Amino acid sequence: MASVTIRDLRKSYGGTAVIHGVSIDIAEGEFVTLVGPSGCGKSTLLRMIAGLEEVGGGEIRIGGCVVNDVAPKDRDIAMVFQNYALYPHKTVAQNMGFALTLKGVDKREIAARVARAAEVLGLTGLLDRYPRQLSGGQRQRVAMGRAIVRDPQVFLFDEPLSNLDAKLRVQMRAEIKELHQRLRTTSIYVTHDQIEAMTMADRIVVMRDGRVEQAGAPLDLYDRPANRFVAGFIGSPAMNFLKGRIAVNGTASFVTEGGIRLPLAKAPPASDGRPAVYGLRPEHFAIDPDGGIAVQVAVVEPTGSETQVVATLAGQEVVGVFRERLSAKPGEFLPLRPNPAAAHLFDAEDGRRLL
Amino acid sequence: MTDVLPIPAKPLRARVDVRSSRRPWPLLKGRRIGLHVAALALLLAVLFPFLWMVQMAFRPADDVLGDALLFRPTLENFASLWQGTFPRSFVNSLLVSTLSTATSLALGVPAAYVLSRWCFRARGRVSLWILATRMAPPIAFTIPFFLAYRWVGLQDTVIGLALIYMTFNISIVIWFMQTFFAAIPKALEEAAWIDGCGVWQAFWRVTLPLAAPGLAATAVFCFIFSWNDFFFALILTRTNAITAPVAITNFLQYEGWEWGKIAAGGTLVMLPVLVFTLLVRKYLVRGLTAGGLK
């Protein structure tokens, strides 16, 4: 395994810049996910690390060596593609052993390593089959097997689970994580699914429009998002945002556009009257018949383990998630109390974190 | 509730009635038989000249133009062909066709690959100009080719003729193979690059095997084109490199037309075309790439 260092990486297609000076440090053995909405440049960045896209500017180092102009075959990386990219004319065993065959590894050694990887991935009985004879999940496993057989310096995953159904995705997610814990190979994983990013990564890099918005441990990103975009992207259901102003009158509070006063644990210095956006995660509302703010229920969605309530607070929509089962009906009023310690404040203009 | 219930019941019953009253099978069966008869009639009409020629090849010399369906088949026409110069022309045809097919594939396939994969500024124009070489009628090239060949000494040679066919086939190869390569997902090559292949190796070990059905079909097409050509072979050969289609015309002489030999020669010339057409059918089976991608 090796570290990966990206410095001021740039890329443009024609005159359109798609990556604007991205810098990321990935330590040896780390599992990093690149996450962001479609078109944010995460896949392009991964393909540049793989050597499948030319570098427009900046530097990529794998294991300390600059690889900007190194061919993909000489980077000692393995990649799992979104559409698996299995060779249709080769059997599962040939697909998995192809890289070793090219290296000139002894046939018996290849067979042994393929068998070992197949055992880990539960593919032992399928080694003589062709990709067309496999199910989606099995193909996904073969793609993984092709990567692990080689024992590369770095694993690259390009949305590898996006073609699987929801149940299989959860299962494969756990398997990939377990595999990483066993092999400890440096892994870079691209996904647009923030749940995948949260559950698998040691560190998440959130990207938007070819820039890194924030990089950090999953729970750090969740608890202290650097800006409104990250706050809204990480977490499901998404964080609630309410527009208004900060009011410091002895105690700190936030007054929404509709005039509702929401408590704050503290306010940024000299911020009285400053326009801002108040952010609160859905689970940080509590039902408090004594001191709660009355919100009108619009939709109640019980999932069994929790109840999700969509409601209107001073003309703005909010979502609350509660562990208890609620009997609230649409149209009724529910007394909600936000947890001031869990509230976030963002600048009304540029969306950066104020508190 | 009571006046709601009959509404869904009605169309259901109606549908059952329609199905039972129509009795679709006998009707369909009759229609299919009609179609089969029509297809058979069309097939016979198309095949008639061919079948007529084949039966002529097996008729005895004194009854070659006879119309009796029953006759004693003989191989004497083939035997007399074998004793003349026809076998040499047949071998020439085989050599010229194989050589031109091989060279046009060797040059055209990599060119098609480059045109389908590499983005460069003049790509569209290059493709069009390659196709344009096929647009002019062959006669436009006859005199230049004839003079040039006489000058370089390629007249009446197998290599010379193969070169001409190659120049015509290469554009077909490039255009056919470009489509076949475009149908192969680039991700497979990228996977091969990451697995340790260079560009050439990925082409050789991943792309080309996947394009094999297309390659086979293109090869057969080139072969048949070269094999069937009459015009250039007539103009550019005299004795040494004469091909089978031209050799057949030598049986049309002032002294008389040797119908038996013409029919036997024609049957033999048609044989490889028939075999290769059947091969194309086999190789054109699609679906080799199924399963590689999601």
Side-chain angles (χ1 to χ4, degrees), chain A residues 47 50 52 72-73 77-79 81-90 95 98-99 101-102 131-132 139 146 150 163, chain B residues 185-199 201 205-207 209-210 287-294:
Chain A
R47 288 171 60 81
L52 301 175
K73 71 185 177 83
I77 44 159
M79 185 157 166
F81 290 79
Q82 183 176 3
N83 50 17
Y84 319 140
L86 301 178
Y87 310 120
H89 59 303
K90 293 183 188 290
N95 261 286
F98 187 52
T101 311
L102 289 169
R132 63 178 174 273
R139 286 179 201 173
R146 194 166 61 176
R150 296 176 45 190
N163 286 334
Chain B
K186 202 167 177 238
L188 293 175
E189 279 162 35
E190 292 177 342
W193 295 344
I194 285 175
D195 266 345
C197 287
V199 172
Q201 231 176 348
R205 302 185 76 140
V206 174
T207 317
L210 291 176
L288 191 70
T289 51
L293 301 170
K294 188 238 163 189

Side-chain angles (χ1 to χ4, degrees), chain B residues 181-234:
Chain B
F181 286 138
I184 296 170
K186 202 167 177 238
L188 293 175
E189 279 162 35
E190 292 177 342
W193 295 344
I194 285 175
D195 266 345
C197 287
V199 172
W200 171 248
Q201 231 176 348
F203 168 72
W204 191 249
R205 302 185 76 140
V206 174
T207 317
L208 204 58
L210 291 176
L215 189 72
T218 310
V220 169
F221 195 83
C222 287
F223 188 93
I224 290 175
F225 172 80
S226 309
W227 183 265
N228 284 347
D229 177 73
F230 176 75
F231 185 70
F232 282 103
L234 182 72

